[in-house]
Amino acid sequence: MARGKLRIYLGAAPGVGKTYAMLSEGHRRVERGTDLVVGFVEDHGRPRTEVMLHGLEAIPRRELTYRDATFTEMDVDAVLARRPAVALVDELAHTNVPGSRNAKRWQDVEELLRAGIDVISAVNIQHLESLGDVVESITGVRQRETVPDEVVRRADQIELVDMSPQALRRRMAHGNIYAPDKVNAALSNYFRPGNLTALRELALLWTADRVDEYLQQYRSEHRIRSTWQARERIVVGLTGGPEGRTLIRRASRMAAKGSGSEVLAVYIARSDGLTSASPKELAVQRTLVEDLGGTFHHVIGEDVPSALLEFARGVNATQIVLGSSRRKTWQYVFGPGVGATVARESGPDLDVHIVTHSEVAKGRGLPLARGARLGRSRILAGWLTGVGGPALLTLLLTALHDGPGLANDVLLFLFLTVLAALLGGLLPALASAAVGSMLLNFYFTPPKHTLTVQDPKNLVAIVIFFAVAVAVASVVDLAARRTHQAARLRAESEILSYLAGSVLRGETSLEALLERVRETFGMESVALLERESDTAPWTCAGSAATPAAPTADGEPAATREGPAASREGSATSPEGPAASPESAPTASAAAPGARVPLRPEDADVDMPVGDHLALALNGRVLPAEDRRVLAAFAAQAAVVLDRQRLMGEAEQARELAEGNRIRTALLAAVSHDLRTPLAGIKAAVTSLRSDDVAWSDEDEAELLAGIEDGADRLDHLVGNLLDMSRLQTGTVTPLIREIDLDEVVPMALGGVPEGSVTLDVPEELPMVAVDPGLLERSVANIVENAVKYSPPGQPVLVAASALGNRVEVRVADRGPGVPDSAKDRIFEPFQRYGDVPRGAGVGLGLAVARGFAEAMGGTLTAEDTPGGGMTMVLTLSSAAGRPPATPDLPAQVTS
């Protein structure tokens, strides 16, 4: 079954007439005899839209109940059963009521299309998913109902329903869109002229892009190679030279003369990666073209004019901007140049502009030699072997009376040629072959000491020697370059793998990453620069510089070669891309003063990261092939910087939240728990001072006891609050000394009722290294908490024992206990477990006890009491020098 066709009416805002246009199209098709139904159309109380529904067959809607309310949605099953040729379905981005067949209406439309039913629908530009953030920034309203862009892009036909902002506001004012009571609010908020103008521009641009896609598809299907000048597209050909900035600005001025014009800057690089372009200059030009609203493209091509024209025709460009040639006059003997070739082959559909600049005829500079990557020492060794080697071999062989023979002489000279290729590359090998051929002819083939050859066999031998030498040198050089490329790619892959792993693990700090960049590329200094806006100054977010490490003789060590480089010129280290060790910088004796770039333009190499970040390096200019890995490092540096800042913000937010929680709980404690004993004290004092009542001695004693009890309780609460504040601010400084437990623990039981605690502290226990005051407060809080929860008639057991170099104090009660999931939570400030009444304290006792224990180097944990209840285990460090003794009988004390 063929898929149905989708037609969409796209509008910039509600009320432009999408639904009206859709219904008008429905009437036209019905008049032509098309089987058409209304799947779902909402008139929103608009009279003209309601009139347009007359005469069209409407499928009854499906009723759904959600949260005690009844809603109606399109009945997809009914439409599929009816199987019309065309269905009208309004509000494509609508979210269906829970319980519907699909979550979104565009999913309902997809079902109809798969069933072979054509669908006509409508949607506003603000409902496109990719434009949600843009629309929110314009109108201040976040669209909750969205439709994926791809759904709309796949439509067979998109028709823009356009209306000027002024006309739409007039329709609004006349009550044709919203009810009269909503008009003023709509006109002063969402339907402001600026909002409508921006939304209209979004709709026009989005539709224009879609039209451009249709055009490109049509040209591709019909294999149309000529340019259709429906829209000005200006391609700027860059060479990486300084004239590129002039060309970009000239093209930008040309594009500004026509609305909707585009600027596309393209740099053509050869597939072998060899180029004379400056990577830094290319980066600057890329930033410039993007700042001017254009795009930058990097294209690989063997023939620059052909690749440039192919790119221009591929993007349907109308103009090409090139700079006047920088070649000197004598260099034209090698060809007419890129500009002349492009102008000759562009044809009538492409205009070529040749722009003059200050670099005209100043020379292009020589391209990077293939052997330059081998390093100067190796190239020099190759030339010495290729030129000096045959001369030395000739002297040696001529000194021998009976030489090894011409065949062996040829093999020896061939060996030198191969050796020269291995050391210095192709050019030294070719020179060795030429010199060797001449020496063989002059010294070893009759007639000797002449350049003539008497025997044709000898001439053939020399020619074959030269051919074999050239072939072998070429193969050896090619193999060396392929080995170099393979090693380089392996090194790059390992670097990228390292970066990917560090991203997943979140291990690398910004400083460590920048130091790795510096080591990888053998730089003096690396800095990550940042600015808040295009006009703000650059600031350094992080940097790394060459360290000054003194050697054994006391002299500062020079910067070591970048790990990416090997002494043989190929990347054998997994640390980074290949770089010549001879080109790696060395640090001066004053390495701490290494130049740290403060602006991208001051650096030898800079790599932009977005609009406001840049990675700047000082030390040397990197080749183009190294910038790929540098870009990965730059992107990772931006990620690390963002992660560090997010972690800092999260930590600050956590501290603020914790402080806010404690302040809130403290206010609650002061407002209730502290006022309760104060209220009791005030009531007792007021009663004693009353002249209306004659209190007996027993009554006065009871009131005074109540005042004392309230004061003690108030003192305890205030003490815990002060202790908690000291712990929160980190001002608790324990005075550790050696003391026996039986001197401290009994003193901590003074505030509990008599007979509520059983004490078991052997005298033979080792001394503990604690702060006596903190230990007393800690044990007191633990015991008071245990007594509070222990049932009547079940005393709390306080027992102490020695275990290795530790002493444990166990406070066991027979209360309800605490589940394992809540054992850590009961030590948090202002926490009460279960349904403890508000007057039972502020929930600081155990928090203070644990804080004091940890301040003394101990621990406080909770365990289940065998048989029911909870046991608090206070672990302390025993004092050195007094081993634990074996107790005879435990001391049983009841308080």
Side-chain angles (χ1 to χ4, degrees):
M1 179 182 299
R3 178 182 172 87
K5 295 183 178 180
L6 176 62
R7 179 173 182 173
I8 292 179
Y9 287 92
L10 179 67
V16 296
K18 304 181 303 300
T19 304
Y20 191 91
M22 180 180 68
L23 293 174
S24 298
E25 176 65 21
H27 279 286
R28 284 193 293 271
R29 297 204 181 193
V30 169
E31 291 172 0
R32 294 197 299 265
T34 303
D35 183 14
L36 180 143
V37 300
V38 176
F40 185 96
V41 171
E42 186 65 59
D43 56 37
H44 296 290
R46 299 167 186 169
R48 296 186 180 182
T49 304
E50 186 178 357
V51 170
M52 292 297 295
L53 285 170
H54 297 325
L56 299 177
E57 178 186 352
I59 301 296
R61 302 181 184 181
R62 180 186 178 191
E63 293 187 354
L64 295 169
T65 302
Y66 179 67
R67 293 184 178 178
D68 299 329
T70 302
F71 301 88
T72 60
E73 295 288 359
M74 181 175 67
D75 194 339
V76 180
D77 293 327
V79 177
L80 292 174
R82 171 66 174 74
R83 294 196 61 79
V86 181
L88 304 183
V89 182
D90 199 7
E91 299 179 358
L92 186 63
H94 172 72
T95 301
N96 293 329
V97 175
S100 301
R101 182 186 185 96
N102 296 302
K104 290 283 192 176
R105 183 162 294 162
W106 64 264
Q107 296 172 329
D108 296 338
V109 170
E110 284 293 318
E111 282 200 46
L112 300 182
L113 294 173
R114 287 195 296 269
I117 301 174
D118 294 346
V119 177
I120 303 176
S121 186
V123 69
N124 283 328
I125 191 68
Q126 64 263 33
H127 293 297
L128 295 182
E129 200 168 70
S130 66
L131 300 177
D133 295 339
V134 179
V135 173
E136 183 180 9
S137 65
I138 295 172
T139 65
V141 179
R142 182 67 178 181
Q143 299 296 329
R144 302 299 178 187
E145 294 185 329
T146 60
V147 58
D149 289 42
E150 185 60 27
V151 174
V152 182
R153 286 185 180 277
R154 286 201 305 264
D156 299 276
Q157 186 175 350
I158 298 176
E159 184 170 336
L160 178 65
V161 182
D162 189 29
M163 179 177 290
S164 68
Q166 294 76 13
L168 183 56
R169 285 173 60 84
R170 283 196 299 270
R171 290 195 62 195
M172 174 72 69
H174 294 160
N176 295 332
I177 301 177
Y178 291 155
D181 58 337
K182 298 181 180 180
V183 170
N184 289 334
L187 289 175
S188 59
N189 291 283
Y190 192 88
F191 285 83
R192 293 196 300 268
N195 289 357
L196 296 178
T197 302
L199 293 174
R200 186 189 188 195
E201 184 178 12
L202 277 179
L204 291 170
L205 290 175
W206 195 92
T207 307
D209 289 339
R210 182 61 177 138
V211 171
D212 192 56
E213 291 177 12
Y214 283 133
L215 179 60
Q216 295 290 352
Q217 181 181 355
Y218 180 85
R219 284 165 50 85
S220 176
E221 291 175 353
H222 292 78
R223 298 182 179 180
I224 299 174
R225 301 295 297 166
S226 60
T227 300
W228 288 3
Q229 299 184 2
R231 186 178 184 180
E232 290 291 342
R233 285 188 175 87
I234 304 173
V235 171
V236 183
L238 301 178
T239 64
E243 78 282 358
R245 306 184 198 183
T246 303
L247 303 184
I248 293 171
R249 293 189 179 97
R250 182 70 181 91
S252 178
R253 291 195 297 271
M254 293 169 59
K257 296 178 180 179
S259 178
S261 300
E262 295 182 41
V263 175
L264 300 91
V266 57
Y267 170 69
I268 310 294
R270 297 189 183 277
S271 59
D272 57 6
L274 301 177
T275 175
S276 59
S278 168
K280 181 179 179 181
E281 183 63 31
L282 277 179
V284 171
Q285 294 174 14
R286 178 172 191 152
T287 303
L288 175 61
V289 70
E290 291 175 351
D291 289 342
L292 293 175
T295 56
F296 184 89
H297 304 269
H298 194 113
V299 177
I300 304 297
E302 292 294 339
D303 184 64
V304 174
S306 299
L308 182 60
L309 289 171
E310 185 73 18
F311 174 84
R313 293 190 176 105
V315 299
N316 197 28
T318 58
Q319 302 180 57
I320 297 178
V321 175
L322 298 173
S324 297
S325 179
R326 287 185 287 136
R327 296 192 300 176
K328 294 183 180 297
T329 304
W330 63 268
Q331 291 178 313
Y332 281 96
V333 299
F334 299 106
V338 174
T341 304
V342 170
R344 183 180 67 247
E345 299 179 1
S346 61
D349 54 349
L350 267 173
D351 296 334
V352 180
H353 301 267
I354 305 297
V355 179
T356 59
H357 50 84
S358 59
E359 301 295 323
V360 174
K362 289 187 177 180
R364 297 178 55 186
L366 295 176
L368 185 65
R370 292 177 182 266
R373 70 187 68 187
L374 299 178
R376 296 177 182 176
S377 60
R378 284 193 55 181
I379 296 175
L380 181 60
W383 280 103
L384 289 176
T385 303
V387 178
L392 293 177
L393 180 61
T394 301
L395 292 176
L396 178 62
L397 293 178
T398 53
L400 299 177
H401 297 290
D402 296 327
L406 182 61
N408 293 326
D409 293 340
V410 170
L411 292 177
L412 290 174
F413 278 94
L414 182 61
F415 169 75
L416 291 177
T417 301
V418 173
L419 185 60
L422 290 173
L423 290 175
L426 182 61
L427 292 181
L430 294 178
S432 177
V435 173
S437 300
M438 293 179 63
L439 293 176
L440 282 172
N441 182 9
F442 193 82
Y443 288 101
F444 301 103
T445 57
K448 295 181 179 181
H449 305 294
T450 63
L451 294 179
T452 59
V453 180
Q454 181 178 1
D455 190 350
K457 295 180 180 179
N458 293 335
L459 178 61
V460 172
I462 293 176
V463 171
I464 292 177
F465 160 76
F466 184 79
V468 171
V470 171
V472 170
S474 301
V475 171
V476 170
D477 179 72
L478 180 62
R481 286 192 284 115
R482 291 293 181 264
T483 302
H484 167 86
Q485 293 172 0
R488 177 185 181 82
L489 292 175
R490 181 175 66 86
E492 289 184 3
S493 65
E494 292 184 6
I495 282 183
L496 297 177
S497 176
Y498 159 78
L499 288 177
S502 66
V503 170
L504 295 176
R505 296 188 299 270
E507 296 175 349
T508 304
S509 65
L510 182 59
E511 291 73 16
L513 181 65
L514 294 180
E515 177 62 23
R516 186 172 182 87
V517 173
R518 189 196 65 77
E519 292 181 352
T520 298
F521 295 98
M523 290 295 187
E524 292 180 0
S525 59
V526 178
L528 183 63
L529 305 179
E530 182 182 22
R531 62 179 176 180
E532 296 181 356
S533 64
D534 294 338
T535 58
W538 289 95
T539 59
C540 183
S543 63
T546 305
T551 58
D553 56 1
E555 294 296 329
T559 305
R560 66 184 179 94
E561 296 168 339
S566 69
R567 298 191 178 276
E568 299 305 317
S570 60
T572 58
S573 168
E575 296 293 334
S580 172
E582 288 77 6
S583 61
T586 57
S588 62
R595 295 181 303 127
V596 176
L598 301 180
R599 297 185 305 171
E601 51 267 29
D602 297 337
D604 294 326
V605 180
D606 69 280
M607 175 60 66
V609 190
D611 295 332
H612 302 133
L613 275 177
L615 190 64
L617 301 87
N618 266 342
R620 62 189 173 96
V621 177
L622 290 180
E625 54 195 5
D626 283 354
R627 294 185 64 87
R628 182 170 58 250
V629 177
L630 182 61
F633 271 112
Q636 172 68 353
V639 172
V640 171
L641 179 62
D642 289 341
R643 184 169 62 239
Q644 287 184 352
R645 289 180 174 174
L646 289 175
M647 291 173 62
E649 293 174 0
E651 181 63 23
Q652 292 178 1
R654 187 193 65 78
E655 293 177 357
L656 291 175
E658 179 67 17
N660 185 63
R661 186 180 69 84
I662 292 177
R663 283 193 298 270
T664 303
L666 180 60
L667 289 174
V670 171
S671 64
H672 186 280
D673 295 298
L674 295 184
R675 293 179 64 183
T676 301
L678 284 175
I681 293 173
K682 181 175 177 58
V685 172
T686 303
S687 299
L688 288 174
R689 296 185 61 186
S690 175
D691 298 332
D692 299 337
V693 180
W695 300 102
S696 63
D697 294 340
E698 292 80 6
D699 292 336
E700 288 184 358
E702 183 178 352
L703 290 173
L704 291 172
I707 293 173
E708 183 179 12
D709 180 68
D712 291 340
R713 186 173 164 195
L714 184 61
D715 178 68
H716 178 72
L717 293 174
V718 172
N720 275 339
L721 288 172
L722 292 176
D723 290 339
M724 196 66 234
S725 66
R726 291 168 58 202
L727 289 171
Q728 290 289 336
T729 57
T731 58
V732 176
T733 305
L735 302 176
I736 304 298
R737 65 185 181 90
E738 297 181 2
I739 193 171
D740 286 317
L741 277 180
D742 54 7
E743 297 180 20
V744 179
V745 175
M747 297 174 60
L749 307 181
V752 298
E754 186 177 353
S756 60
V757 176
T758 300
L759 186 61
D760 181 10
V761 180
E763 295 182 359
E764 294 80 8
L765 284 176
M767 299 179 72
V768 292
V770 296
D771 182 316
L774 297 184
L775 177 59
E776 181 182 346
R777 293 297 301 273
S778 182
V779 174
N781 283 349
I782 297 172
V783 173
E784 288 177 6
N785 183 78
V787 171
K788 186 189 307 178
Y789 289 99
S790 188
Q794 296 285 338
V796 173
L797 175 62
V798 179
S801 59
L803 182 63
N805 61 348
R806 304 189 309 276
V807 175
E808 290 185 350
V809 179
R810 292 178 170 267
V811 180
D813 64 64
R814 293 295 180 179
V818 175
D820 293 338
S821 59
K823 281 187 170 61
D824 287 333
R825 194 167 66 249
I826 61 175
F827 292 103
E828 297 178 4
F830 305 105
Q831 296 293 320
R832 300 185 187 87
Y833 179 72
D835 55 353
V836 180
R838 291 289 300 175
V842 295
L844 286 176
L846 293 181
V848 171
R850 171 175 273 190
F852 284 169
E854 293 177 349
M856 295 182 294
T859 60
L860 178 62
T861 57
E863 298 178 356
D864 292 330
T865 302
M870 186 174 64
T871 299
M872 291 291 175
V873 182
L874 176 61
T875 304
L876 305 170
S877 299
S878 60
R882 181 176 171 181
T886 304
D888 296 330
L889 291 174
Q892 295 287 342
V893 180
T894 301
S895 171

